Every structure is written in structure tokens, then in C-alpha cells.
Amino acid sequence: MATILHRFNRLRLRYAFQLSSHAVSSTTAAERAKGDRVFLGCQTLCRQHRGISGGAGEVRCLPSAAPPRLPFSCVTDEDLAFFRQLLPGRAITDPDMLESSNVDWLKSVRGNSEVLLRPRTTEEVSQILRYCNERNLAVSPQGGNTGLVGGSVPVFDEIILSTALMNQVLAFDGVSGILTCQAGCVLESLSQLLEERDFIMPLDLGAKGSCHIGGNVATNAGGLRLLRYGSLRGTVLGLEAVLASGQVLNCLATLRKDNTGYDLKQLFIGSEGTLGVITAVSILCPRKPRAVNVAFLGCSSFQNLLETFQCCRGMLGEILSAFEFLDASCMGLLEKHLKLTNPITECPFYIVIETAGSNAAHDEEKLHNFLEKVMASSLVTDGTVATEDAKIKALWSLRERVTEALTHDGFTYKYDISLPVEKIYQLVTDMRQHLGDRAKNVVGYGHVGDGNLHLNITSPTKDPALLAAIEPYVYEWTAAVQGSVSAEHGLGLKKRNYIYYSKTPEAVGLMGNIKAMLDPRGILNPYKTLPDDLRLPSTPTRPSPMTSGHPQPLQDPPR
Amino acid sequence: MATILHRFNRLRLRYAFQLSSHAVSSTTAAERAKGDRVFLGCQTLCRQHRGISGGAGEVRCLPSAAPPRLPFSCVTDEDLAFFRQLLPGRAITDPDMLESSNVDWLKSVRGNSEVLLRPRTTEEVSQILRYCNERNLAVSPQGGNTGLVGGSVPVFDEIILSTALMNQVLAFDGVSGILTCQAGCVLESLSQLLEERDFIMPLDLGAKGSCHIGGNVATNAGGLRLLRYGSLRGTVLGLEAVLASGQVLNCLATLRKDNTGYDLKQLFIGSEGTLGVITAVSILCPRKPRAVNVAFLGCSSFQNLLETFQCCRGMLGEILSAFEFLDASCMGLLEKHLKLTNPITECPFYIVIETAGSNAAHDEEKLHNFLEKVMASSLVTDGTVATEDAKIKALWSLRERVTEALTHDGFTYKYDISLPVEKIYQLVTDMRQHLGDRAKNVVGYGHVGDGNLHLNITSPTKDPALLAAIEPYVYEWTAAVQGSVSAEHGLGLKKRNYIYYSKTPEAVGLMGNIKAMLDPRGILNPYKTLPDDLRLPSTPTRPSPMTSGHPQPLQDPPR
């Protein structure tokens, strides 16, 4: 812990130094006036308080706040003319049309971009990036804009590069189950297409109706099926990405095994658009299970829930496809804000178990035996089981709609933490005690099977004092048990400076070198993922790299 | 195909250029005399024919042959004194003790190293590499030395860094199933340890009695359980690696989910020791299945075998853990050379199907229903099923010992190809027709479920004319159907120059940049994985990089 605190103090010092020397952005009064419509993130707070260093009224910004704008070029009329010629009718500058792309889904982060580009092809993406790289224009790639860490919207005036029109399915092989498609395909559309062909997507998440598969891959999305089908690092077989230079990197293989050299696609999975723009993916899809059952159970303690999990893994084995939980506070929010009904008697903890298998009779027997055992031993106090689609969806919505219920409860501080499974609820209990009555609600839910807790703390309004009580407490608690401060949401803008709680300085340094190698000018999704102390300097005079057939290594140090 | 041929011709041109200007290595007459004891690889052939360019007796080397030795330093008495002080009794220079580390398992490649180092700790590995990097001494990391592409032995006089004494299990968590151990643990020992705790390793392969888990991860080994548990890219949760500079990169997380920055461990998985030396790994292990069944079946055609596979995936679903095949030629070699008995009537094709599940009665019922269906429809002509350990092992050995049987059949040309599953046997048929009676045997076996064919061609003795008929035919055939020229064996020394058949020049160029970033002097496993046209120049005067806390990017171009 001492080392972690030391690292963090060092980080804060560096950060404070940056703040005191930063160039204030040009937020207008009109833009600020929009603030009452949205919950504004810390970076807006910083931007509104000019002259941050010293004096009365100083606002001490958190590491999640935006850093100063880097000296990228600003979009000129000449740039717009280029984009309009390249993308007729698809280079958007109308502020009303830009609005939804400038603000994240949680309305917690607002950018100020004046250009939204909607390419249809990889070649168009390549031309856009080649141009932007040469002109030193920053680019914020955007899929369905459903991210939770401010990674999918611009921070300042970055050009928004949307994959919304890149929504073509390129191939599906019904023998191997391998799907190849453009990055902008919506996850739910792909699921529907596959279900008709007796397959399913290997991932599923609450945002499926909006999120793009390219964004899923770029953020290494986890979701509800990871327990069964593993992470995208195993199921994504290939991808195509456009580098900052405009160079197209075609790694779009459709093979389960390929050990010919380094696995470059892994660089782009989970790098949140900072190393390249993913334009297409190929993904291995499992067969659609013939039988699906969902059980919604109640437990009187988290210890009982953990024992139920252990028993479940043994007795349901290969048919277990999800083991999720929510606490009583989550259920209260679902009832209060979304008028959902608790299908069982009130309990401190609720479990959603899903089975998916090839033989309905076998699966029902396994589930029956399991339920009999956990009820007889009082591990589970009440429960209900669904086998029909409509009831399955209703039970799942109790778990999937917690995020939505929270948005109605006030300002929400969100944490997505990986922990050793036996510790995942202790953090909620400790946080509740730590905050006392300063928080409105402290709730926990998430993926027990993956050791992944979603800790959410609500407050009637944004409350810097509450935030100061939460952070760095939550990160220190996590680091002390070797957890991850971002299990599946990524780092984006909001969490970038907390990376040292989960990664060593050597590892972060190497990440910086990779960024410098692939995006030497740092135009791709700046201010995201990597911490501010690794920020690459903008070097407008540096020649554009990697324009020849073979990429050239960086010739200047990145810092 | 035209593009592929073009690329390959360009490669050959470059290669020829290198050969004509290379420095001849100092192979002694005594070393050459050893040639009658082992099957010597092409590189030895090259080394034996000095003055390769021009004139009578010229040998046109294949791209699999070793390139000229790069100008690394040679080991001095002072170096030996350092190693002996660092590793008392574990810096081996006795030629007899070095013998087995200088030759690969297939006895197809021989190195000429005079020093074998056997560290016990990560710190010792770090000190070795730091020293070697400063002294510009090349290093060949070695695990169980069971690789099939010449990746695990030195090519010239590289220092052998063995993980054999790094065989400590560091932790096993019986709740999560996460094992953490040093890199030198033997796979079979880990399997035994886990079985006692009701878990299994997520991978299994024929070489399990010798191979090290660090080597498995470094080569991204596939094996027999990939169909069920996925690749190591998903099951390896963390690793520790020592970079060429001696810097220790600790990414030894034990979390199922961690999206804090780029997933650096993926760089080392499958990079064959060219980017760093893996010193420890953490790996997610599945529960030991309660019931295992193995069926050994015969099919009258490959089309029937494929239809059996489709039927099997539908009816066995989640309990299917392996679907392997061998052809009648393989069975003939097993009978002839290993005196194994075919347990069923003779067929053109044999299948090994394994099920692994949590309920014996359910699994047997599923298997029974499946067998009834495929026998009734004549997809399968004969078969036998095993549920007892001894019989299961006997049936598995028919598949696992094909490699061994081949070593008794003469000189073997081995190919490990990924193809669309419906095409995997067509390559064998076409090759047989293409070679006519020039080959002794052309056999096919492998992992149907993964689309992975092991194509092997035997000859009474090494036969350059036969090889010229096989290559590049086999690679062109594979590339034409977007296959991979190395599904699971890696590229090592033998296949490095064939990388362009499966990867674009842009991708290979980027791999070169990654190599240059992590190992700027190229001391780690030189002549392996990357093609000769990306070979890094040795630059003895360049200062040692990455000695500070944060790695520094490369300041010189790698070529």
C-alpha cells in the first residue's frame, strides 16, 4: 500500500504541475449555459474555473479531470472542404446534429467538437486519418457512444469519427460459426442475424441495442456471457484497423489458430481507439443453445451467495452461462424508479443464474438437483425459474436495468472493480461504513463468476466532498487486494490517471512506447487511457511516419 | 495468389542477396563429423558449404536455412567468470551436458552453444539478460525443448538460458482455479498437482511430460483441449517477463477481467522468446470434469467425417472437449513402428471424440444418442467407446503417438496448417497426387475442431528434390485459401521466412518495430520468428536502453 500511495502522490504532483501551466480552453458562455441540461464532468468544471493555480476560489481538480488541451491544429475551412469532398453529405457540422455525439450516454462528459465524420469504408477512414495526421488534427473515434468512462466522446474539439455507417456484415460461415463484419454493426442486430442461423454472439451486454461491435472490441467489453464463452481476446479471430498514419493493417483472419508471428490484433483489443481505428472484425460465434433456463434466487448473506456459487459451478458445470448478483439496494432502486416488481420475497442479495445447453431435459434435471440442494441447505431462501423467453427476459431485466435505475437516483459515482471473488462485496460494505450518511445510496451488483463488482454511489447532486471521500479510498482498497480499478469499462478519460493502482510504472511506460510507435503525434483519442504523465508532446514539424510499405520506427522520444 | 507469389519472389531475392554477402560461420571439422549422428537441418548444410555464392557445387539454400551469424560478441573467460559467480554450479560448459540442449527434439536442428545457464529466480534471469545486453551476447531461451520449428535451440553460439530450475508453484486458489507458477514447471506435473485439487490444466499436448508451461505460453501452444477451453490468449491471466535490458515486467495479475491499459502480456504469448523471457505465469484452470468418455470411430470418407463433426457439435454441444482425426496412413505407421493395435475395423479415417462433463449419466446418454444417429446414417462405419482411464489413455495414444511413429518412418517434412475446416484433408489428397511416388508416405492428422491439419511427408533420407516439390507448393496452397502456415507450432527458425504467406508486409513490418522497441540489439532468440528481411542490425555501440524506471523508446531505426 505504501508503494501505491507513493506512486499516486507522485502522479498528483505531476498533475498539479500540468494544471498550473495549462492553456485555458475557449469555453463560451453559451456552452456553459448548457450545463443545466447535463451533468457536467470534472473537466468542464476545470474549464469553467480559469486561472486554476493559486488564490482564493481555487478548485483542486481530481486526476479524472481533463488535462489542458494539447496543441493540435484547429479545423479550418480548407479542412472542412476536404472532408466534404471525401464524404459528401457525411461531414456533419450542424451543432444540433453534433450534440448527441459530443455528450456521453451518462451525460457526465461533454466535448466541444465541431465536426462529425461518417465514413462508410475502410478506405475513407484511411484517407481521413492520413489527412488528420498530416494536419495534426486530433480524432475521437466513436461507436455507439455507450461507454461509461468518457472514452467515446471528444474532450475538446477533436474531430469525431463515427463508425455508424460502417454497418455491413461481410461474411458468415455457418460451418465454423465465424462472423466477419464492419465495425459499426450494432451488437443486437448481429445477435438477431445469428439467431436466425442457429448461432449467438459470444458477448451480451445491457447496451446491446446501441453499442457497435467495433467499440466492443476496442474496449474489450466483458458483459454477461464472459463466464461461459471467455473474453474477446479469445473469440475475436481477426480485425482490421487503420493506424494514425492512415495505413490499413489487415489482420482479418478467420482461423481459430494462427501462430505466424506476433498477434498484432491484441494491441487494438481494449486500447480504446488510442492505437488505431478498428474498421472490421471477425469473431467466433457459439452455437445457439437449444435450452436456456434462468433462475432468480435470494440469499440471506453474501457468504451464502458465495457458497451457492461454488455449489453451482460443481453441479451445473458446463451448462452454467451466467452467475450475476445484485443487492437489496439495487432492487429498491428498480422498484422505486423503474416500477419493476421483485418476483420473490425480499432478501439482502439476489442472484441471476443462467444455464444454456444442448439437451433441455438434462439441463432441467441438473438445475432441479442444484436448486433442491441449495434450498435444502438454506443457502438460498427463495427463488423462481423461467424457461420461456418472455419470463427469461423479465428476470434478466432485473439485473440489466440496474444501471438505468441508478441514473434516476441522482448523480452517480461509478466504479467497475475486479477483485478476488470472495472479497467482492466486502468493498461495498466497507464503503457504506466509510461514507456513512454522506451518500444517498451505496449499491453493489455485477458478475460474481468473473470477480467483477459494479460499485455505485449516488448523491442528490454532484458532491465534490463526497467524491473526495470515495477517492482514492476505493482505489487504495482495490490495489491492496491486487484488484483492477477497471475490470471491463476501460480507463477512457475518467480513469486514465488511476492506472498506477493496477499497473506498474514499467508496464505503463511500455504502453507509452507502444502508443508513441503507432501514433507518434498522439492524434488518436487523446487524453484517454494513458495517464497524463505519459502524454505525448504534439510535434507538428515531425514528418508523417509509416507511409511506406513497412512501418518505420519512431525516431524521436515521445516525451 | 499472384500477390503471394510476388511477395515470395521478392523475399527470395532478398534472401539470395544476404547469402551472397554473408560471413561464413566457424563450423569445425569435428562439428561437421557429428552430422552422421543426427538429421541435420538446412542451416548446417549451408554452413558446411562455404563460399555459397557462385561457382560449381553451389547449394541454393531454402528460406528455412539459417542466415549468416550476426555480429554478436563471443563468450569470453571474463563472461564465464561472471556467470559462474552469479549461478554457482549452474553455468554449464561441459560439451556432453550441453549436447541435449543444442539439438532439438526432432534432431533436425543443431546449435553450437558453449554455455548453458540455469537460473532459479527472476532476479537471476534479469541479471543474466542485463549483462548479455550490455555485452551484446545473444541468448536462446529454452524450456522443455519440445518445439518442432527449431525455435528452442541456438542456431550458432547463443547462450542457452534454460528455465529447467524455475519449477516452483507459487500459488493455487481453489476457489477461482487460478494457478501461478514459475515458467519451468513441466505441464504434466502441473496437471497432476491440479487433478489432486479437482481441477485440470486448460491445455494438454503430446509433449506434456517434458514441455514447460513458460514454453507453452511463449509459443502459444494449442493442443488437444483448445476446442473446449480456448487458447492461452484467454486462459493466461498474467505473466512476468524479463526484457532484453534485464528489466522485469510484472504483469502477473490473477484476475479474469482487467481493462487498465494495453494488455502487454499478449505481446509475449506466442512470441517465441524473441521479445522477453517469460519467468512466471498465472493461468485460469477449469474444474476437473466428473465424467470423461472417449469414442474412437471410423469413417469411410472425409466428407462423412465432416458431417459427423457437424452432428457431434449439435448433439454433444457443451460436453464436447476434443474432435481429432488421423488417416489410414497414420494408423499404418502406428501399427508398423509402434506395434499399436487398431481397435476397430480398417477405415480410411479415424476420429477421436472426447466428452467431459459434470454428470456421467447425462453425458453417456448424449453420447449414446449421437453414436446411434451416426451409425444409423452410416456416417460412421465402426467404433468403440471408453469410460475407464486405462482404455481412454489407450485410445488417446493412437492420436497422440502419431508424431512419434513418424520419426521411425524416415526423414519427416512437417507442416502445421490452419485451414477452413471443410478443406483440411483436401491438402493431403492434393499433396499426395502432386508428389506421386517421390514421397514414402504423405499422412494427415490433427484437430478437426480447430481447423488444424498436421501434414507430414516422409522420405527414406533427407531429400532436397522432394523438399523442392513440397515447398513452396504447400504454402501457396495454404495461402490461396487464406490459411495459416503455422497453426500452433510457431515459426521458430525453420518457418520464419514463410511468414508472408499468412501475414501482410505491413503487419510483419509492425512486428519488426515491436521487436526493435523491446530488444533493440536483437539479442533475444535471434534468427527466429521474424523473417530475415527484418533482421535488426547488431549495433554494439548503441547504449543499453530501458535501464531507467520507464522504458525509453528506440532512437535508431532497426534496419
Side-chain angles (χ1 to χ4, degrees):
Chain A
M1 183 67 96
T3 314
I4 293 155
L5 287 176
H6 170 73
R7 274 183 211 151
F8 194 63
N9 286 332
R10 193 184 54 192
L11 171 63
R12 280 204 286 216
L13 280 175
R14 289 192 197 177
Y15 191 74
F17 173 78
Q18 283 211 348
L19 277 179
S20 66
S21 61
H22 87 310
V24 174
S25 76
S26 58
T27 315
T28 64
E31 285 159 6
R32 288 201 301 277
K34 289 182 185 168
D36 59 352
R37 274 205 302 127
V38 294
F39 298 112
L40 290 173
C42 276
Q43 80 292 358
T44 313
L45 193 71
C46 287
R47 285 156 59 199
Q48 290 179 2
H49 290 79
R50 304 186 182 200
I52 278 168
S53 59
E58 173 180 340
V59 174
R60 197 178 126 264
C61 278
L62 285 161
S64 55
R69 184 185 184 281
L70 292 170
F72 295 108
S73 305
C74 293
V75 176
T76 63
D77 288 344
E78 200 179 328
D79 298 329
L80 283 179
F82 172 83
F83 294 133
R84 284 182 178 133
Q85 187 178 23
L86 178 66
L87 310 165
R90 293 178 284 129
I92 314 295
T93 52
D94 178 339
D96 289 338
M97 290 178 73
L98 273 158
E99 172 66 13
S100 63
S101 296
N102 262 319
V103 181
D104 71 330
W105 178 80
L106 291 171
K107 302 201 189 308
S108 67
V109 177
R110 169 182 291 286
N112 190 27
S113 177
E114 294 174 352
V115 187
L116 165 67
L117 303 180
R118 292 158 65 97
R120 283 206 184 97
T121 66
T122 301
E123 177 53 28
E124 286 176 350
V125 174
S126 169
Q127 289 197 47
I128 291 167
L129 291 187
R130 190 180 303 274
Y131 184 88
C132 289
N133 196 46
E134 279 167 15
R135 277 278 296 124
N136 195 34
L137 288 163
V139 176
S140 176
Q142 188 174 81
N145 194 11
T146 61
L148 298 172
V149 290
S152 59
V153 290
V155 178
F156 298 101
D157 57 343
E158 300 92 276
I159 291 167
I160 302 170
L161 195 166
S162 165
T163 53
L165 300 184
M166 301 183 73
N167 56 2
Q168 300 297 303
V169 172
L170 304 174
F172 178 70
D173 179 343
V175 177
S176 62
I178 298 169
L179 170 77
T180 308
C181 64
Q182 280 191 301
C185 291
V186 172
L187 179 59
E188 196 166 45
S189 309
L190 294 175
S191 291
Q192 284 162 0
L193 176 129
L194 288 181
E195 292 219 9
E196 292 162 14
R197 287 156 179 80
D198 212 26
F199 282 82
I200 58 170
M201 290 296 284
L203 80 162
D204 185 26
L205 54 155
K208 60 191 156 204
S210 309
C211 64
H212 294 186
I213 188 68
N216 296 148
V217 174
T219 57
N220 189 28
L224 306 168
R225 288 179 184 157
L226 188 132
L227 178 69
R228 175 68 168 271
Y229 301 113
S231 90
L232 290 172
R233 299 202 173 275
T235 51
V236 171
L237 300 182
L239 58 76
E240 179 190 70
V242 182
L243 305 185
S245 64
Q247 187 182 65
V248 179
L249 192 70
N250 181 352
C251 302
L252 205 53
T254 54
L255 302 164
R256 281 203 69 164
K257 286 172 160 180
D258 178 21
N259 276 351
T260 53
Y262 312 151
D263 190 4
L264 299 176
K265 69 172 183 287
Q266 298 290 347
L267 283 172
F268 302 94
I269 300 175
S271 63
E272 303 184 87
T274 61
L275 298 181
V277 176
I278 294 174
T279 46
V281 302
S282 60
I283 189 162
L284 182 67
C285 302
R287 279 289 182 97
K288 183 178 173 180
R290 299 213 184 137
V292 174
N293 299 293
V294 170
F296 192 85
L297 311 176
C299 287
S300 59
S301 71
F302 199 75
Q303 183 54 36
N304 283 354
L305 184 148
L306 286 177
E307 286 176 35
T308 304
F309 176 53
Q310 283 292 74
C311 178
C312 180
R313 287 210 296 185
M315 294 186 73
L316 297 182
E318 63 279 0
I319 64 166
L320 178 64
S321 60
F323 193 106
E324 302 278 313
F325 93 103
L326 52 147
D327 64 13
S329 303
C330 292
M331 183 60 82
L333 298 178
L334 291 168
E335 292 172 323
K336 182 176 174 187
H337 299 299
L338 305 182
K339 310 297 174 206
L340 297 184
T341 306
N342 180 353
I344 62 173
T345 55
E346 275 190 22
C347 296
F349 296 96
Y350 302 92
I351 311 173
V352 183
I353 291 173
E354 189 189 74
T355 69
S358 60
N359 184 311
H362 290 171
D363 294 4
E364 275 171 36
E365 192 183 321
K366 285 191 180 88
L367 188 58
H368 176 80
N369 291 344
F370 159 71
L371 290 174
E372 205 165 54
K373 177 154 183 187
V374 291
M375 301 288 275
S377 60
S378 298
L379 288 176
V380 162
T381 52
D382 192 13
T384 178
V385 174
T387 52
E388 291 161 31
D389 264 8
K391 197 177 168 199
I392 285 175
K393 275 188 184 149
L395 291 183
W396 260 122
S397 70
L398 292 167
R399 163 66 187 82
E400 290 186 300
R401 295 185 69 191
V402 174
T403 313
E404 183 188 346
L406 280 159
T407 63
H408 297 277
D409 199 51
F411 193 88
T412 309
Y413 296 97
K414 301 183 84 67
Y415 301 92
D416 167 40
I417 308 284
S418 262
L419 297 169
V421 66
E422 61 274 17
K423 294 206 169 68
I424 66 174
Y425 203 72
Q426 197 187 323
L427 173 55
V428 182
T429 314
D430 285 5
M431 181 62 82
R432 221 171 249 153
Q433 191 172 3
H434 173 71
L435 295 178
D437 55 9
R438 283 180 286 191
K440 183 176 175 188
N441 277 300
V442 178
V443 313
Y445 61 102
H447 318 283
V448 178
D450 313 327
N452 184 185
L453 169 74
H454 295 311
L455 168 69
N456 284 249
I457 298 151
T458 63
S459 165
T461 56
K462 201 147 92 76
D463 181 350
L466 174 62
L467 183 56
I470 301 170
E471 299 180 12
Y473 178 87
V474 61
Y475 298 121
E476 287 169 1
W477 201 103
T478 302
V481 296
Q482 282 80 52
S484 166
V485 300
S486 183
E488 60 178 11
H489 291 174
L491 295 171
L493 172 72
K494 294 181 189 174
K495 311 277 183 185
R496 71 196 187 287
N497 282 324
Y498 301 108
I499 193 172
Y500 294 104
Y501 282 107
S502 295
K503 293 286 158 69
T504 65
E506 292 77 16
V508 178
L510 181 51
M511 292 178 203
N513 287 358
I514 292 170
K515 170 74 173 174
M517 179 179 70
L518 286 169
D519 179 17
R521 288 185 156 190
I523 64 160
L524 280 176
N525 225 7
Y527 325 108
K528 315 280 174 68
T529 310
L530 297 179
D532 292 337
D533 62 355
L534 279 182
R535 184 76 60 223
L536 310 180
S538 183
T539 49
T541 54
R542 183 183 299 159
S544 173
M546 291 191 245
T547 46
S548 64
H550 289 265
Q552 295 298 318
L554 181 69
Q555 307 217 358
D556 301 321
R559 278 170 286 137
Chain B
M1 183 66 96
T3 314
I4 292 155
L5 287 178
H6 170 72
R7 274 184 211 152
F8 194 64
N9 286 333
R10 193 183 54 188
L11 171 64
R12 281 204 284 218
L13 280 176
R14 289 192 198 177
Y15 192 74
F17 172 77
Q18 283 212 345
L19 277 179
S20 66
S21 61
H22 87 310
V24 175
S25 75
S26 58
T27 313
T28 65
E31 285 158 6
R32 290 200 301 277
K34 289 181 186 168
D36 58 354
R37 275 204 301 126
V38 294
F39 296 113
L40 290 173
C42 275
Q43 80 290 2
T44 312
L45 193 70
C46 286
R47 286 156 59 198
Q48 289 179 3
H49 290 79
R50 306 187 180 202
I52 279 167
S53 58
E58 174 179 341
V59 175
R60 197 180 126 267
C61 279
L62 285 160
S64 56
R69 184 185 183 283
L70 292 169
F72 294 109
S73 304
C74 292
V75 176
T76 63
D77 289 343
E78 201 180 329
D79 298 329
L80 283 179
F82 172 83
F83 293 133
R84 285 182 179 134
Q85 187 178 24
L86 178 66
L87 309 165
R90 292 177 285 129
I92 315 295
T93 52
D94 177 341
D96 289 339
M97 291 178 72
L98 274 157
E99 171 67 15
S100 62
S101 296
N102 262 318
V103 181
D104 72 329
W105 178 80
L106 291 171
K107 303 201 188 307
S108 67
V109 177
R110 168 181 291 285
N112 190 28
S113 178
E114 294 174 351
V115 187
L116 165 66
L117 303 179
R118 293 158 64 97
R120 284 206 183 97
T121 66
T122 301
E123 177 53 30
E124 286 176 350
V125 174
S126 168
Q127 288 197 46
I128 292 167
L129 292 187
R130 189 180 303 273
Y131 184 89
C132 290
N133 196 47
E134 279 167 14
R135 278 276 299 124
N136 196 34
L137 289 163
V139 175
S140 176
Q142 188 174 80
N145 193 12
T146 60
L148 299 171
V149 289
S152 59
V153 289
V155 177
F156 298 101
D157 58 343
E158 300 92 279
I159 292 168
I160 303 170
L161 196 166
S162 164
T163 52
L165 300 183
M166 302 182 72
N167 56 2
Q168 301 297 304
V169 172
L170 304 174
F172 179 70
D173 180 343
V175 176
S176 62
I178 298 169
L179 170 76
T180 308
C181 65
Q182 281 190 302
C185 292
V186 171
L187 179 58
E188 197 167 46
S189 310
L190 294 175
S191 291
Q192 284 164 0
L193 177 130
L194 288 180
E195 292 219 7
E196 292 161 15
R197 287 156 179 80
D198 213 26
F199 282 82
I200 59 170
M201 290 295 285
L203 79 161
D204 186 24
L205 54 155
K208 59 190 155 204
S210 308
C211 64
H212 294 186
I213 188 68
N216 295 149
V217 174
T219 57
N220 190 29
L224 306 167
R225 291 181 181 154
L226 189 133
L227 178 69
R228 174 68 169 271
Y229 301 113
S231 91
L232 290 172
R233 298 200 175 276
T235 52
V236 171
L237 300 182
L239 59 75
E240 178 190 71
V242 181
L243 305 185
S245 65
Q247 188 183 65
V248 179
L249 192 70
N250 182 351
C251 301
L252 205 54
T254 53
L255 302 164
R256 281 203 68 164
K257 286 171 161 181
D258 177 21
N259 276 351
T260 53
Y262 312 150
D263 190 4
L264 299 176
K265 71 173 181 288
Q266 299 291 346
L267 283 172
F268 302 94
I269 300 174
S271 63
E272 303 184 88
T274 61
L275 298 180
V277 176
I278 295 174
T279 47
V281 303
S282 59
I283 188 162
L284 183 67
C285 302
R287 280 287 183 99
K288 184 179 172 179
R290 299 212 185 139
V292 174
N293 299 293
V294 169
F296 193 86
L297 311 176
C299 287
S300 60
S301 71
F302 199 75
Q303 183 54 38
N304 283 354
L305 184 148
L306 286 176
E307 285 176 35
T308 304
F309 176 52
Q310 283 291 75
C311 179
C312 180
R313 288 210 296 186
M315 295 186 73
L316 297 182
E318 62 281 358
I319 65 166
L320 179 63
S321 59
F323 193 106
E324 302 279 311
F325 93 103
L326 51 148
D327 64 14
S329 304
C330 292
M331 183 60 82
L333 298 178
L334 291 168
E335 292 172 323
K336 181 175 174 188
H337 299 300
L338 306 182
K339 311 298 175 204
L340 297 184
T341 307
N342 180 353
I344 61 173
T345 55
E346 274 191 23
C347 296
F349 297 96
Y350 301 92
I351 312 174
V352 182
I353 291 173
E354 188 189 74
T355 69
S358 59
N359 185 310
H362 289 172
D363 294 3
E364 276 171 36
E365 191 183 321
K366 286 190 180 90
L367 188 58
H368 175 81
N369 290 344
F370 159 71
L371 290 175
E372 205 165 54
K373 178 155 183 187
V374 291
M375 301 288 274
S377 60
S378 298
L379 288 176
V380 164
T381 52
D382 192 15
T384 178
V385 174
T387 53
E388 291 160 31
D389 264 8
K391 197 178 169 198
I392 285 175
K393 275 188 183 150
L395 291 183
W396 260 122
S397 71
L398 292 167
R399 164 64 188 82
E400 289 186 301
R401 295 185 68 190
V402 174
T403 312
E404 184 188 344
L406 281 159
T407 63
H408 296 277
D409 201 50
F411 193 90
T412 309
Y413 296 96
K414 301 183 83 67
Y415 302 92
D416 166 40
I417 308 283
S418 262
L419 297 169
V421 65
E422 62 274 18
K423 293 205 169 70
I424 67 174
Y425 203 72
Q426 197 187 323
L427 174 54
V428 182
T429 315
D430 284 5
M431 182 61 81
R432 223 171 248 153
Q433 192 172 4
H434 173 72
L435 295 179
D437 55 10
R438 281 180 287 188
K440 183 176 175 189
N441 277 298
V442 178
V443 313
Y445 61 102
H447 318 281
V448 177
D450 313 326
N452 183 185
L453 169 73
H454 295 310
L455 167 69
N456 283 250
I457 298 151
T458 63
S459 165
T461 56
K462 204 146 93 74
D463 181 348
L466 174 61
L467 183 56
I470 300 170
E471 299 180 12
Y473 178 86
V474 61
Y475 297 121
E476 286 169 1
W477 201 103
T478 302
V481 296
Q482 283 79 50
S484 166
V485 299
S486 184
E488 59 177 11
H489 291 174
L491 296 171
L493 171 73
K494 295 182 189 173
K495 311 278 184 183
R496 72 196 186 286
N497 282 323
Y498 301 108
I499 192 170
Y500 294 102
Y501 283 106
S502 294
K503 293 287 156 70
T504 65
E506 292 78 14
V508 178
L510 182 49
M511 291 179 204
N513 287 358
I514 292 170
K515 170 74 174 175
M517 179 178 69
L518 285 169
D519 178 17
R521 289 185 154 189
I523 64 160
L524 281 177
N525 225 6
Y527 326 109
K528 315 280 175 68
T529 310
L530 297 180
D532 293 337
D533 62 355
L534 279 182
R535 184 78 58 225
L536 311 180
S538 183
T539 49
T541 54
R542 183 185 298 159
S544 173
M546 290 192 245
T547 46
S548 64
H550 290 265
Q552 295 298 320
L554 182 70
Q555 306 218 358
D556 302 320
R559 278 169 286 136

